[in-house]
Amino acid sequence: MASSFGHLEGRVPANELALRVVRAATMLPGVLGARLWRIEQEQAEVWAEIGTLPEGPAQPQHAGDQKNDPPSTVWTEALGSDDFRMRVLEVHGQSTFSEEAKSQLALLARFAALALALAERRGTMEELSSIVEATKKLNSTLDLGELIHIILQIATRQTGSGRGTVFLVDAEKNEIWSLVGLGLEQQVIRLPADHGIAGWVAQNGKSVRLENAYEDPRFEPEVDRRLGFTTKRLLCLPIRNEGGEIVGVLQLLNKEEAFTAEDEAFLDALSAHVAIALEKAQLHRERVEKEKLERDLSLAREIQAGLLPNAPPVLPGAEIAVSHRASQMVGGDYYDFVRLPPGENAGLLIVVADVEGKGAASALVMANVQATLHALVDQPGPLEKLPATINQKMIAAGSGGRRTKYLSMFLASLDETGRKLRYVNAGHVPPAVIRADGSCEWLTDGGMVVGLLPDQEYQSGELTLGKDDLLVACTDGITEAMDEAGNEFGRPRLAELVTRLRALAPQEIVDGVLEAVNAHSRGGIYEDDRILMALKAI
């Protein structure tokens, strides 16, 4: 018996000590086998067993239980217990145990209870120390890739697994994705949220331990085939934040021995710290990406501003004022003044255009249209050929299934006297001509929007401006500006307002209209890019 106690001495891990306890019990004469039970929160599992043992029940048999007393060939004893856990030693003999054998087993049980309690306490302290150390490492970086690498280093070293993956939950796309895998080249793996073991864990919030992953129908071997890897043993558990929300999944693979409840318990204890670190790193990554995007958009805004005229040109027969405002950093509204080459059609080309949508994509189309327009102006031809040619070029650019945008355009050529105006309206908000006597005309001659259908033809209209006549052109950000109830500012209100302001200078008219539009749309439900231009014959 003394030699049996010797096997329990020394600072050994609790799992190894449990195995030594059952081994010491089997060294007693007449013992066929022994098993040590671990019961926590009314859930029992075999901690260690050695020897010849019958098929055990779901719970150990307790000595003294009158309803289910164990047979005389079975000896059981609780090795200490508290409100949360219990350890039970179960020993099976060839025949009925003698009083001397029972006395030796009782002594072994008392010694084992003390040794196991010390080992578990020591193990708990070591685990706590490991968690504290791991938490320090988790808080050492805000780089998401580096953080995931740290998480995998901690998890694989603690459990002894071969490699692992941290999957992050993308709720918007209903996907889980990994940024890095230990032992593999860094690459992104994206999976539907309802596929594979990791997807099942992310959706159900329960851990999974497998001895052979390929035997489980939930396992998806496609990732193995893609990476040239074979998954065998697997431990997969959810990563929850402090609110209980699943923000990721930790998957560990191919440990030499089976994954244990201790592996799972340690990682579960670390889960909240991991979740906090992951959320901080993702927020940092999103902030860095947002700042980069804002810098790029700010640069794009400067570039776009450089494409638009700094100021309206000075003409001997007319005065022009214009205002441009994008609802976002960049926009798709476009205006321009282009000097026409000397000749029969000499003068000034005036352009107001509105690309479908808003934002960076519309701004890119706007820049392309401007470049095309400037290249075409130097070529002789009637005004109505300009939108037709731009239309064909946009249709050709969108061939092959590429996504394209369309735009509305108003083009007008004003002769050098500032009196004779020729125009084409390609699906644009009709500009208004407010005569000096207060009458109003809408400029509608032209055709449909540009870039939508091939082989479009356009017609032009002509008019003559008298002294103090006004041409007012805008984009739909002015006429469709809405109040809180969804009522648009509208073309009739614009014409009525300009008629009342017609005695003022063009810049004062522009300022007055913008003030009225802003007052109307304050608190409104829709906002778009805005251009407003006023030309007055003098």
Side-chain angles (χ1 to χ4, degrees):
M1 191 66 183
S3 63
S4 299
F5 289 156
H7 288 290
L8 304 181
E9 294 176 352
R11 297 172 62 85
V12 296
N15 288 344
E16 174 63 24
L17 187 57
L19 189 61
R20 292 188 183 187
V21 168
V22 295
R23 184 178 294 119
T26 59
M27 294 173 66
L28 295 172
V31 174
L32 295 174
R35 62 165 62 101
L36 184 61
W37 291 86
R38 178 165 49 186
I39 308 170
E40 294 187 14
Q41 298 179 347
E42 299 183 355
Q43 296 293 319
E45 67 173 347
V46 175
W47 195 357
E49 59 183 359
I50 293 177
T52 304
L53 296 165
E55 189 69 27
Q59 296 278 353
Q61 294 173 296
H62 297 283
D65 187 344
Q66 299 298 322
K67 295 180 180 180
N68 191 20
D69 281 338
S72 59
T73 57
V74 178
W75 180 92
T76 61
E77 182 74 30
L79 308 185
S81 65
D82 52 38
D83 293 338
F84 305 103
R85 69 187 69 180
M86 176 185 291
R87 307 292 180 255
V88 176
L89 178 60
E90 178 185 328
V91 183
H92 291 256
Q94 293 176 335
S95 57
T96 302
F97 286 103
S98 65
E99 292 302 319
E100 182 182 358
K102 291 179 181 179
S103 176
Q104 288 181 318
L105 286 170
L107 183 60
L108 172 63
R110 288 196 297 273
F111 190 88
L114 178 60
L116 284 170
L118 290 172
E120 286 189 312
R121 189 174 296 114
R122 185 168 58 248
T124 301
M125 293 302 296
E126 290 174 353
E127 181 176 300
L128 180 60
S129 177
S130 297
I131 291 174
V132 171
E133 186 63 29
T135 303
K136 290 180 181 178
K137 290 185 178 180
L138 292 174
N139 291 327
S140 67
T141 181
L142 287 174
D143 181 83
L144 186 59
E146 184 180 353
L147 175 62
I148 290 176
H149 188 68
I150 290 172
I151 293 169
L152 292 176
Q153 281 186 324
I154 294 169
T156 53
R157 184 177 65 246
Q158 183 69 25
T159 62
S161 52
R163 62 181 61 177
T165 307
V166 173
F167 287 96
L168 302 173
V169 175
D170 189 335
E172 290 185 2
K173 296 182 179 179
N174 196 30
E175 291 180 335
I176 56 173
W177 63 281
S178 67
L179 186 64
V180 63
L182 193 64
L184 301 170
E185 291 184 2
Q186 294 188 11
Q187 52 186 296
V188 173
I189 301 172
R190 281 193 171 266
L191 299 171
D194 58 350
H195 278 51
I197 301 292
W200 187 92
V201 170
Q203 290 201 324
N204 292 273
K206 298 179 180 178
S207 300
V208 172
R209 271 187 281 162
L210 300 175
E211 279 294 294
N212 188 342
Y214 279 80
E215 293 179 354
D216 193 297
R218 296 169 295 184
F219 181 71
E220 290 281 347
E222 176 58 32
V223 176
D224 271 12
R225 286 194 289 267
R226 196 175 0 160
L227 301 178
F229 181 71
T230 301
T231 299
K232 297 176 183 176
R233 291 190 175 99
L234 178 148
L235 171 61
C236 192
L237 67 160
I239 300 173
R240 300 178 187 272
N241 61 17
E242 290 180 314
E245 180 185 358
I246 297 174
V247 298
V249 173
L250 174 59
Q251 183 169 279
L252 301 176
L253 309 175
N254 293 4
K255 183 179 179 180
E256 291 187 4
E257 301 173 353
F259 286 103
T260 65
E262 285 80 9
D263 295 333
E264 189 174 328
F266 173 81
L267 296 173
D268 189 59
L270 193 62
S271 173
H273 303 284
V274 171
I276 292 171
L278 283 173
E279 288 182 326
K280 286 169 59 180
Q282 284 184 285
L283 287 172
H284 175 72
R285 190 184 195 205
E286 290 170 3
R287 184 168 63 251
V288 169
E289 290 177 350
K290 182 181 179 181
E291 289 173 353
K292 181 180 182 301
L293 178 60
E294 288 176 348
R295 288 195 300 271
D296 290 345
L297 286 174
S298 179
L299 177 59
R301 185 172 191 167
E302 291 180 17
I303 293 172
Q304 184 179 41
L307 298 176
L308 301 175
N310 291 326
V314 177
L315 297 176
E319 184 180 351
I320 305 174
V322 64
S323 171
H324 170 260
R325 191 197 72 180
S327 62
Q328 299 179 5
M329 291 288 284
V330 290
D333 282 10
Y334 163 54
Y335 73 91
D336 212 343
F337 305 102
V338 184
R339 293 285 184 179
L340 296 172
E344 182 181 351
N345 297 319
L348 181 71
L349 178 67
I350 300 168
V351 183
V352 178
D354 185 358
V355 180
E356 167 216 358
K358 48 193 173 184
S362 298
L364 288 172
V365 174
M366 181 275 275
N368 185 51
V369 169
Q370 189 220 36
T372 303
L373 182 68
H374 278 244
L376 294 174
V377 164
D378 290 336
Q379 301 175 13
L383 180 66
E384 55 267 28
K385 287 296 182 181
L386 281 177
T389 303
I390 294 173
N391 181 72
Q392 287 302 107
K393 288 183 177 296
M394 291 183 68
I395 294 294
S399 62
R402 289 191 294 271
R403 171 77 170 90
T404 60
K405 284 179 171 284
Y406 60 87
L407 69 146
S408 64
M409 298 184 76
F410 174 77
L411 302 100
S413 61
L414 186 67
D415 73 352
E416 293 177 322
T417 67
R419 291 290 186 268
K420 295 186 67 175
L421 187 79
R422 196 158 180 259
Y423 73 89
V424 176
N425 187 333
H428 196 73
V429 179
V433 172
I434 309 296
R435 299 292 183 177
D437 61 5
S439 61
C440 176
E441 300 174 28
W442 297 102
L443 307 186
T444 58
D445 291 342
M448 72 176 301
V449 295
V450 175
L452 193 61
L453 295 175
D455 303 322
Q456 292 301 303
E457 295 183 356
Y458 296 86
Q459 293 77 42
S460 62
E462 293 186 5
L463 58 92
T464 300
L465 296 175
K467 187 177 183 305
D468 294 331
D469 286 350
L470 276 167
L471 168 66
V472 178
C474 66
T475 56
D476 58 13
I478 297 291
T479 56
E480 294 179 4
M482 294 182 183
D483 61 14
E484 292 182 356
N487 300 310
E488 294 183 353
F489 188 79
R491 288 166 49 200
R493 186 180 308 192
L494 175 64
E496 179 186 356
L497 178 59
V498 173
T499 300
R500 286 193 281 110
L501 300 176
R502 68 184 185 277
L504 301 177
Q507 186 60 57
E508 293 174 312
I509 294 172
V510 167
D511 293 341
V513 171
L514 291 178
E515 183 179 353
V517 171
N518 289 334
H520 174 81
S521 62
R522 191 172 294 117
I525 59 176
Y526 175 75
E527 187 171 341
D528 199 358
D529 304 334
R530 294 175 181 176
I531 286 178
L532 177 65
M533 182 175 63
L535 181 151
K536 191 171 191 178
I538 56 176

